[in-house]
Amino acid sequence: MKKVIMGNHALSYGAQLGRAQVVAAYPITPQTQVVELLSEMCADKSLDAKFIKVESEHSAMAACLGASLAGARTFTATSSHGLALMHELLHWAAIGRLPVVMGNINRAMAPGWSIWSDQNDSLSQRDTGWMQYYCASNQEVLDTTIQAFKVSEALSVPGMIMLDAFTLSHTYEVVDIPEQEKVDAFLPPFRPKLRLSSEDPRAFGGLTSPEHYFELRYKQQKDIEKAPALVAETGKEYEKLFGRRLELIEGYKNEDAELLFITAGTTGYTARVAVDALREEGVKAGNLRFRLFRPFPFAELRRLVGRSGRRVAVVDRNLSSGCNGIFFQEVKSALYGHVDGMPIFGYVSGLGGRDIALEHFREIAADALKRQPPAEEIVWIGVRK
Amino acid sequence: MSKKKTLEKIVLATERDFPIMPMSLGTMHHNRTGAWRNIRPVIDKEKCIQCGICWKFCPDVAIYVENEYPVVDYVYCKGCGICAEECPVKCIAMVEEEK
Ligand code: SF4
Ligand code: SF4
C-alpha cells in the first residue's frame, strides 16, 4: 500500500512491520513523531509491543538492553543530545551483543542550541560498535529498518539508522508500505541462542578480567566484519520480495566519472542533481553515497572508486574538531595502498543545518578539478569568511 | 552446613571456547577466589564457643562446619577478615600468607 508519510513515520512503520516487541524511548525534537506514532500503535494494539515510558534516553537504552537480553525484539529512537546521553549504554549494547535497533535523527550538537541537521551526533558514537546506516529517502528508511532487525539479530550486533533532521525526518514522500505477511516471511521472530532465562540462569556483563576481555572483543569484531556481506545478501533477498535493492554504497554515474563526489545522507541526493548539471556542462562527475558506514564497507568502496586517474571530493556534514571531516579521514585511509596517487580532497559544509545546495557542489567541483595534492586538511564550503 | 564441593576452574584455551557474550559459564563454585588471599584466617579451636557467627557472616560461604566446629575452605576464602572481626571471643587470627 502506498502512503504519503514523513521520514519519522517511516521508522515507526518499519518497527511495526518488523514486529518490535518492546519500545522504550524518550521524545526529543526532531525525533518525536517516531515515538508518538509507535505509542499510538501500542495503544490501539496495531503493534503488539510493550511501550516503556522512561525519564531519560539513558533509561530508554537501559530498558532496551534488558528487554533484548530477555529475548525481545527491541526498538528505540533518539537524536543528538539524547544519543549522547545514551553513550555509555551504546557500548553496553554492542559488547553485550544485544541487537537493539534504533533510529537516530542527525541533529547538530549544542551549544548554540540547534535542532537542525549535521552528523556529529552519530559520528561521535562511531566507535561504540553499532552498525550505522545513513538514509536518503523515506522508502529507504522503512526498508532499512526491516532489514536492520534481520542483520543485527543474525550477528548479535546493534544497528543505528540515520535520518537528516527535517530534510528527511519531516519531509513527506510516497512510501510503499509492504504487506505484513510478506515482511513476516522475510523476517522470522527473534530467537536468540543466549538470553536471560530462569531455565538456564546466567550472569551477564559481570567482572571480566584481562584473561577474558580481549577475546570477547576479538569475537565481536569478527562478527561485525561479516556485516557488509550479510547486508548485501539481505538486500538481494529483500529485492526479490519487495522489488527494491539496497546497496552498501549507492553509485550514481560513477563508472566513467573523472570527478567523484562521496557523500552520505540526503546530501547524496543533492549530489545526484549536481552530477547531472555538471555533466551538461561537460564535467564527467559521479557520486557515491554511503548507506552503511559501520562496519566500514572497505571492499565495496575500493571496488567502486576503482581505477586511478580520477579525483575524489568527500563532502562531510560533520567535523572532527582539530582534525577534519570524518568521512574524508576514513575514505583516505581505506584507499591508502589500494589506489595509486589518487587526489582526495575533503570539504566540510552544512554544519548546524545550513543547506548544501547545487551551487555548493559547483564550488566543490571547481576546486577539486584544479587543486593540487597534497590536500589541505579542510576546504570549507559555504562558511562566511 | 556440609562442606561444599570444589569445582575446577573453567579454562578457555582459545577464543573458540568463548561464548559471544560476557557471561558466566558456571556458578561461583568454579571461581576459586582463594588465590586472591594475602592474609588467612586461623581458628583457635580451644577458645571457640561454636556460636556459628563466622559461618553466617562469611561473604564467600567459605566456612563450613565439621564435627560442630567451623573450618575454613582455603580454596575459596579470599582473606577479607570479616570472620575475625565478627567472632565474639576473638579466636580467629588473620595470619600473613608466606607465598
Ligand atoms: S577471611 Fe573472609 S572469606 Fe575468609 S573465611 Fe573469613 S570471612 Fe570468609
Ligand atoms: S565466630 Fe568465633 S567463636 Fe563463633 S564459631 Fe566462629 S570461630 Fe567459633
Side-chain angles (χ1 to χ4, degrees), chain B residues 41 54 57-60 62-63 72 76-84 94:
Chain B
C54 56
F57 271 79
C58 172
D60 210 48
I63 292 179
V72 177
Y76 298 104
C77 164
K78 51 180 138 50
C80 68
I82 289 173
C83 52
M94 296 304 294

Side-chain angles (χ1 to χ4, degrees), chain A residues 8 28-33 79 105-107 115 165-166 169-170:
Chain A
N8 278 343
I28 181 170
T29 301
Q31 154 267 33
T32 311
Q33 295 82 5
S79 179
I105 317 303
N106 275 138
R107 164 184 148 180
I115 52 172
F166 303 108
S169 69
H170 285 61

Side-chain angles (χ1 to χ4, degrees), chain A residues 138 182 193 258 276 336 341 351 372:
Chain A
N138 293 354
K182 275 170 99 179
K193 280 188 217 93
E258 282 156 16
D276 289 345
Y336 180 78
L351 300 187
Q372 288 307 311

Side-chain angles (χ1 to χ4, degrees), chain A residues 69 95-98 156 194 202-206 208 211-212 215-216 218-219 223, chain B residues 9-27 36:
Chain A
L69 189 54
I95 308 176
R97 307 301 301 273
L98 301 171
S156 301
L194 297 171
R202 303 283 179 176
F204 290 90
T208 305
E211 194 185 337
H212 296 130
E215 281 74 17
L216 288 168
Y218 172 83
K219 287 176 91 82
D223 283 344
Chain B
K9 190 180 157 172
I10 297 172
V11 180
L12 305 172
T14 77
E15 54 88 15
R16 283 186 293 278
D17 302 335
F18 284 63
I20 61 163
M21 288 175 162
M23 60 185 280
S24 64
L25 295 179
T27 65
W36 303 8

Side-chain angles (χ1 to χ4, degrees), chain B residues 43-44 47-55 63 69-70 83 86-92:
Chain B
I43 301 172
D44 182 352
K47 289 199 205 143
C48 172
I49 57 169
Q50 298 162 281
C51 65
I53 287 175
C54 56
W55 167 81
I63 292 179
Y69 278 95
C83 52
E86 296 297 334
C87 171
V89 296
K90 298 287 170 232
C91 71
I92 306 180

Side-chain angles (χ1 to χ4, degrees), chain A residues 144-197:
Chain A
T144 303
T145 309
I146 294 167
Q147 292 175 56
F149 284 119
K150 186 156 180 154
V151 172
S152 280
E153 288 166 13
L155 300 175
S156 301
V157 173
M160 200 186 288
I161 300 157
M162 260 56 78
L163 287 70
D164 290 294
F166 303 108
T167 358
L168 200 56
S169 69
H170 285 61
T171 298
Y172 281 74
E173 290 181 328
V174 178
V175 173
D176 185 4
I177 299 178
E179 289 149 31
Q180 184 68 62
E181 305 83 74
K182 275 170 99 179
V183 176
D184 289 346
F186 170 80
L187 180 65
F190 179 38
R191 299 251 184 274
K193 280 188 217 93
L194 297 171
R195 67 186 189 94
L196 199 59
S197 153

Side-chain angles (χ1 to χ4, degrees), chain A residues 246-354:
Chain A
L246 296 178
E247 284 138 339
L248 300 173
I249 298 172
E250 181 199 67
Y252 184 72
K253 301 191 179 170
N254 56 295
E255 272 166 30
D256 66 341
E258 282 156 16
L259 170 65
L260 203 51
F261 296 121
I262 297 190
T263 51
T266 50
T267 312
Y269 277 2
T270 314
R272 303 211 307 201
V273 174
V275 164
D276 289 345
L278 286 162
R279 278 188 179 251
E280 270 179 33
E281 291 154 24
V283 177
K284 270 195 188 165
N287 180 56
L288 298 180
R289 176 174 68 88
F290 273 95
R291 278 202 59 243
L292 184 73
F293 182 61
R294 272 294 178 278
F296 193 90
F298 287 103
E300 187 66 352
L301 181 76
R302 288 169 190 152
R303 186 181 74 78
L304 288 169
V305 173
R307 59 182 170 79
S308 49
R310 44 171 55 157
R311 287 167 170 258
V312 174
V314 186
V315 185
D316 272 294
R317 192 174 215 161
N318 63 77
L319 174 62
S320 171
S321 283
C323 192
N324 47 25
I326 292 167
F327 282 84
F328 175 51
Q329 294 168 19
E330 299 225 354
V331 166
K332 268 199 301 184
S333 97
L335 295 179
Y336 180 78
H338 288 268
V339 188
D340 288 338
M342 180 175 286
I344 306 171
F345 306 115
Y347 299 86
V348 168
S349 192
L351 300 187
R354 186 163 304 175

